[in-house]
Amino acid sequence: MKRVAVFAHYDVHNTIQDYVVYYIKELQKVAEKIIFVSDSELSEAELSKIEPYIVHSIVQHHGEYDFGSYKLGYQWVKESGLLDNCEEFILANDSCYAPLFSFDEMFSKMSSKKVDFWGVTANPNGIEIINNKPIDNTQKHIQSYFVVFKQSVFNSEVFNNFINSVTKQDMKEKVVAYYEVGLTKLLTLHGFEYDVYCELSKKIIAPHIFAYKRLIIENKCPFVKRSLILFKVSNLVW
């Protein structure tokens, strides 16, 4: 199956870490075209680490989090014509260590499902912004660190208008509310159907935090969030 992926990157030290190189190398086994978009200042030496696995890189500071990089990558892919013969379009970011298992099994299972888009995990709870403050709600949504869209979605005006509307927000919670939660909500309102690879995530709030071991053991989740690992390491008692 012909797949195109946009990979969103950010690193405070302006480097491409080894886990990112490994992730992209493995992703290239299931996505023949990868566009790398970084919100950091990267040297040519850093970019050379991933050069064998990508078709294009965009290095541009925008401050719009992963959806800003998704927007830039999507615009380039659309203008270049790479979507013309694409069957699945992937948005992925560097917030996870992956893959713990080969991507093949996940794609084999999910690509055969009669859905318009899919992700790895869902979160039964979401966020909305009321009076400029983030408020928890019960808006189930796909978590945006890895989402796959079929042609019915990425060729639609709904998706095109949504991704091109991404702008810089003054708090991360707004990014989650408007774009992560907002994407699933918008697409489902327009009749698009979705599913997730990890069934367990449909039942547990923030499963990537509170049930990450079960996701790996029971659902063979190929991802683990970096924030979880870094938090645990930083709180070790030496």
Side-chain angles (χ1 to χ4, degrees):
M1 183 172 288
K2 293 182 179 179
R3 302 186 181 98
V4 175
V6 171
F7 187 91
H9 167 268
Y10 173 76
D11 187 90
V12 66
H13 301 297
N14 299 314
T15 62
I16 298 177
Q17 296 187 48
D18 289 345
Y19 84 92
V20 173
V21 178
Y22 175 73
Y23 185 160
I24 292 175
K25 179 181 178 181
E26 292 300 303
L27 181 61
Q28 199 242 0
K29 294 178 180 179
V30 292
E32 61 178 359
K33 307 290 185 184
I34 299 176
I35 293 78
F36 178 84
V37 186
S38 179
D39 191 18
S40 299
E41 296 179 8
L42 299 177
S43 67
E44 290 299 322
E46 288 299 313
L47 287 171
S48 68
K49 296 177 180 179
I50 57 169
E51 186 176 359
Y53 316 115
I54 66 172
V55 297
H56 185 67
S57 63
I58 300 171
V59 179
Q60 179 179 326
H61 181 61
H62 52 72
E64 297 177 358
Y65 292 90
D66 54 348
F67 274 93
S69 291
Y70 291 162
K71 175 182 68 175
L72 292 174
Y74 166 77
Q75 290 171 343
W76 187 90
V77 167
K78 191 172 179 65
E79 291 171 5
S80 69
L82 287 184
L83 289 181
D84 293 347
N85 298 311
C86 175
E87 296 172 86
E88 291 186 334
F89 179 54
I90 304 165
L91 297 179
N93 69 38
D94 64 353
S95 64
C96 297
Y97 293 118
L100 304 182
F101 308 99
S102 170
F103 283 133
D104 288 331
E105 183 175 344
M106 178 177 72
F107 274 91
S108 177
K109 175 182 176 181
M110 299 306 296
S111 295
S112 64
K113 292 201 171 191
K114 297 185 182 301
V115 294
D116 300 293
F117 65 111
W118 60 269
V120 181
T121 52
N123 193 341
N125 275 21
I127 296 175
E128 60 184 321
I129 305 299
I130 300 177
N131 296 325
N132 208 40
K133 294 181 180 180
I135 307 296
D136 290 341
N137 64 19
T138 55
Q139 181 65 54
K140 184 170 70 173
H141 62 282
I142 290 179
Q143 295 184 279
S144 62
Y145 62 85
F146 197 95
V147 191
V148 181
F149 306 92
K150 303 286 183 68
Q151 291 174 330
S152 56
V153 175
F154 67 74
N155 285 329
S156 71
E157 282 301 310
V158 173
F159 182 80
N160 181 73
N161 292 338
F162 172 86
I163 203 74
N164 282 309
S165 72
V166 171
T167 57
K168 188 174 182 178
Q169 303 298 325
D170 58 6
M171 66 175 76
K172 187 175 181 180
E173 289 83 357
K174 287 184 178 180
V175 176
V176 175
Y178 298 156
Y179 303 135
E180 180 172 83
V181 177
L183 178 57
T184 300
K185 182 178 180 180
L186 178 68
L187 293 180
T188 53
L189 282 174
H190 282 81
F192 296 109
E193 297 184 1
Y194 76 94
D195 203 349
V196 292
Y197 179 62
C198 296
E199 292 290 329
L200 183 65
S201 71
K202 297 176 182 179
K203 310 169 186 176
I204 299 175
I205 297 173
H208 60 295
I209 296 174
F210 300 115
Y212 73 97
K213 291 182 181 179
R214 291 182 63 190
L215 287 177
I216 295 169
I217 295 170
E218 296 177 24
N219 292 167
K220 293 193 70 175
C221 180
F223 299 85
V224 61
K225 294 291 284 185
R226 292 186 68 237
S227 57
L228 177 68
I229 302 300
L230 295 175
F231 174 80
K232 287 183 175 293
V233 170
S234 67
N235 284 276
L236 286 175
V237 178
W238 297 94

